[in-house]
Amino acid sequence: MTEAIVEIRGLSFSYAARTILNDINLTIYRNDLVCLVGPNGGGKTTLIKLILGLLAPDSGSIQVFGLSPCQAIGRIGYVPQHASYDPKFPISALDVVLLGRLRKTLFFRHGQKDRERALAALDAVRMSDLATRPFAALSGGQRQRVLIARALAGDGTMLILDEPTASIDQEATAHLYDLLRSFSGNLTIIMVTHDLGVVSSLFTRVACVNRRAAIHPTSEFSGKMLAEMYGDDSRLIRHDHCCEGGHA
Amino acid sequence: MLEFFTVLADPNVPFLRYALLVGLLSAIPFGIIGSYVVVRRISSLAGAISHCLLAGIGGGLYLERVVGWSYCGPVSGAFVVAVVAAAILAWAHFRAGQREDSVIGALWSVGMAIGLLFLAATPGYTDPMSYLFGNILLIGQSDMYFVLALDVVVLGLAAFFHPQFLALCFDDEFARLRGLPTNWLYFLLLCLTAMTIVLLVRVVGIVMVIALLTLPAAIAGNFASGIGGMMVGAVLACASFIFCGMAISYSLDLPTGPVIICLAALTYLITSLKSSIR
């Protein structure tokens, strides 16, 4: 865990006149399992979009795999919070995963290797028997897994998930966490979540993001930190109860 | 109906054959581009582009007849305006601050206004009706080459860029993360849409373009499980609407464009009801 994969120094970002992120310093190492928590509007998604290179910082620097985010494009598997697809889009699960194999060339065709990698990615999320199923006919949890497979198919070594549990039920959430647990040790994972109960059981470090960011080992994560961040620690208690029940 | 086939075979009536041939050939770009328009949900953009074309048609006629530039004309004018409109819409899409919806609305009506002003300033009576509602029977031999050329361009570009277009239509943010030049791809897709609309205007007119671009694709989308199947279905549906629409309008002496559109709409209604009951 010595090689820094993401290195953020003195980063600030604002939309119009509103400062979203201010003087962020954050280092994420190889095979780190980092969870981003913080209140809505605290800048979690913005931070992720900066790491992905979808947004450019006002000041400060970001290095991803030692490169600028724009140069590192394609090396990160990303699972978005709200996929913008048409719910009736006529496409099979396998074809969605194949989109994750696209490369920046003028003439692109999926080859045999792309198919093999896409099927392997579907296998990794235990969806290979539904590969030919229309994406629109899948359940919310299954679609989520297909999108994770799409992110894995690009052969990146880092996976970023933005609130993956927001639109799926409890059972699918439990499956998702099992899946992420099975990736640990092989992938660097950054996940945005409001589900604080899972923080200690799955992740090694927690980054609290609310205009500023502070990163802690999960073992030090406490109600006091949350109280500072959210201004009310009753959320921790409530989430803990619900999620411990769910994971028992 | 039998009379339609007799006239079709009559060597002295070439215009009906041209009309049918052009109609069937143009079903190819309509079905392919229409499928992209439906899954990317940009039919309002297609509407704005088509209404804008009147500015190009009017401007082209004005330059040809008043200024005397013989190489100008309604079709070349429409082409130029179509690409300009596509560029404006792509620009509005990527400038976060611009309200895309307002730009669409503005293009839609300003294009019509400019077109009507040019038509009014052009001496000799030009009936805007034939541009607004189309007249497939005015199509001649030169149009056929034009359609053939467009078929080649649209089929070629759509085949060449298919994986990229698919990624763009499904999830453009993810496409960007794979390193694809999504802004250029979006502009290219809008240009292809615009070129297809120029052709479509000849067949059904400015006002009814959106229906013939989107209805066959939407019908095919009710059945197809992949976008390739949707495109084939849309091309076939579009070709049969044009063929049946021409036959019916000839037999009953009705304007062709509206008959084609009503056929498409009726089929869409029936297939949608069927698939929602299932």
Side-chain angles (χ1 to χ4, degrees), chain A:
Chain A
M1 290 252 298
T2 46
E3 189 192 343
I5 299 280
V6 179
E7 197 143 31
I8 300 175
R9 290 284 161 265
L11 174 132
S12 298
F13 181 84
S14 45
Y15 268 124
R18 209 167 82 85
T19 306
I20 308 287
L21 294 169
N22 188 23
D23 193 24
I24 304 284
N25 291 290
L26 197 68
T27 307
I28 291 168
Y29 300 97
R30 178 175 293 282
N31 296 346
D32 229 348
L33 302 170
V34 179
C35 169
L36 294 187
V37 297
N40 286 327
K44 302 185 296 291
T45 299
T46 307
L47 184 58
I48 278 184
K49 293 200 164 172
L50 285 159
I51 295 173
L52 289 167
L54 290 171
L55 297 172
D58 296 339
S59 62
S61 72
I62 307 183
Q63 292 224 305
V64 183
F65 297 102
L67 304 163
S68 78
C70 290
Q71 289 170 314
I73 224 161
R75 297 182 65 174
I76 305 173
Y78 174 54
V79 182
Q81 181 179 6
H82 305 288
S84 52
Y85 53 83
D86 176 356
K88 280 183 74 183
F89 203 107
I91 188 167
S92 70
L94 179 62
D95 283 337
V96 172
V97 179
L98 278 170
L99 294 179
R101 298 289 303 172
L102 270 175
R103 287 176 298 277
K104 190 183 178 177
T105 47
L106 190 59
F107 182 78
F108 179 84
R109 283 293 174 276
H110 291 295
Q112 188 59 37
K113 185 170 177 256
D114 294 317
R115 252 161 242 288
E116 280 165 16
R117 282 297 302 133
L119 283 169
L122 274 173
D123 201 40
V125 298
R126 281 169 259 141
M127 283 288 294
S128 41
D129 20 326
L130 299 178
T132 54
R133 218 39 104 68
F135 186 67
L138 301 176
S139 73
Q142 289 169 332
R143 273 186 224 176
Q144 182 93 60
R145 284 164 179 239
V146 172
L147 294 182
I148 293 173
R150 178 180 70 164
L152 292 173
D155 285 335
T157 53
M158 177 154 77
L159 192 60
I160 298 185
L161 303 101
D162 193 356
E163 288 199 42
T165 56
S167 56
I168 56 176
D169 61 28
Q170 274 202 329
E171 199 192 333
T173 304
H175 276 296
L176 174 76
Y177 291 149
D178 283 344
L179 195 63
L180 292 182
R181 206 166 276 126
S182 73
F183 297 150
S184 65
N186 298 314
L187 284 178
T188 310
I189 300 179
I190 304 177
M191 184 174 117
V192 172
T193 188
H194 279 297
D195 188 355
L196 299 168
V198 78
V199 165
S200 52
S201 68
L202 187 54
F203 294 93
T204 49
R205 297 200 300 156
V206 190
C208 305
V209 182
N210 189 10
R211 284 190 63 196
R212 307 179 77 86
I215 194 157
H216 312 278
T218 328
S219 52
E220 290 172 16
F221 192 63
S222 68
K224 186 167 164 284
M225 270 179 213
L226 275 183
E228 280 170 10
M229 195 173 58
Y230 282 97
D232 178 8
D233 67 347
S234 65
R235 280 161 178 266
L236 176 65
I237 297 161
R238 206 172 61 215
H239 273 275
D240 258 345
H241 272 292
C242 124
C243 291
E244 271 169 12
H247 284 288

Side-chain angles (χ1 to χ4, degrees), chain B residues 50-51 54 57-58 61 112 115-116 119-120 124-138 200-209 255-258:
Chain B
S50 78
H51 284 76
L54 195 64
I57 292 166
L61 279 172
M112 292 286 278
L116 288 172
L119 286 181
Y125 181 69
T126 315
D127 184 11
M129 282 292 275
S130 75
Y131 295 114
L132 290 178
F133 299 103
N135 194 345
I136 197 171
L137 300 179
L138 288 181
L200 208 51
V201 164
R202 309 278 299 163
V203 182
V204 287
I206 285 169
V207 178
M208 289 177 284
V209 158
T256 317

Side-chain angles (χ1 to χ4, degrees), chain B residues 1-246:
Chain B
M1 191 65 84
L2 202 69
E3 196 193 348
F4 175 69
F5 290 101
T6 324
V7 176
L8 211 55
D10 188 341
N12 296 321
V13 193
F15 73 89
L16 197 62
R17 276 197 300 279
Y18 284 136
L20 187 65
L21 207 57
V22 165
L24 295 182
L25 282 174
S26 44
I28 296 168
F30 297 172
I32 292 172
I33 298 300
S35 297
Y36 285 131
V37 167
V38 166
V39 296
R40 188 69 175 81
R41 289 179 287 189
I42 50 171
S43 53
S44 60
L45 270 72
I49 293 173
S50 78
H51 284 76
C52 252
L53 291 190
L54 195 64
I57 292 166
L61 279 172
Y62 181 85
L63 291 176
E64 183 186 43
R65 293 192 191 160
V66 179
V67 184
W69 292 356
S70 56
Y71 49 86
C72 288
V75 175
S76 49
F79 247 110
V80 172
V81 167
V83 174
V84 170
I88 293 173
L89 288 167
W91 173 80
H93 182 71
F94 291 108
R95 293 284 147 205
Q98 275 298 344
R99 292 192 180 144
E100 197 179 353
D101 195 47
S102 314
V103 177
I104 291 171
L107 269 184
W108 193 299
S109 41
V110 171
M112 292 286 278
I114 294 173
L116 288 172
L117 287 176
F118 269 125
L119 286 181
T122 307
Y125 181 69
T126 315
D127 184 11
M129 282 292 275
S130 75
Y131 295 114
L132 290 178
F133 299 103
N135 194 345
I136 197 171
L137 300 179
L138 288 181
I139 283 170
Q141 199 169 11
S142 63
D143 293 294
M144 209 171 67
Y145 298 123
F146 175 61
V147 173
L148 271 175
L150 191 80
D151 272 1
V152 171
V153 170
V154 168
L155 268 176
L157 284 175
F160 192 86
F161 288 113
H162 182 67
Q164 284 96 329
F165 281 149
L166 183 62
L168 178 80
C169 292
F170 184 71
D171 184 347
D172 55 352
E173 188 180 64
F174 192 85
R176 221 175 119 195
L177 288 175
R178 295 302 308 165
L180 301 188
T182 45
N183 295 12
W184 286 108
L185 282 172
Y186 188 69
F187 177 57
L188 182 63
L189 185 62
L190 285 187
C191 280
L192 282 177
T193 310
M195 285 199 280
T196 307
I197 289 171
V198 173
L199 175 62
L200 208 51
V201 164
R202 309 278 299 163
V203 182
V204 287
I206 285 169
V207 178
M208 289 177 284
V209 158
I210 319 170
L212 201 54
L213 196 60
T214 55
L215 288 177
I219 292 166
N222 281 335
F223 302 102
S225 59
I227 193 153
M230 183 174 176
M231 286 172 173
V232 173
V235 169
L236 293 178
C238 192
S240 32
F241 295 141
I242 291 174
F243 184 82
C244 299
M246 281 187 64

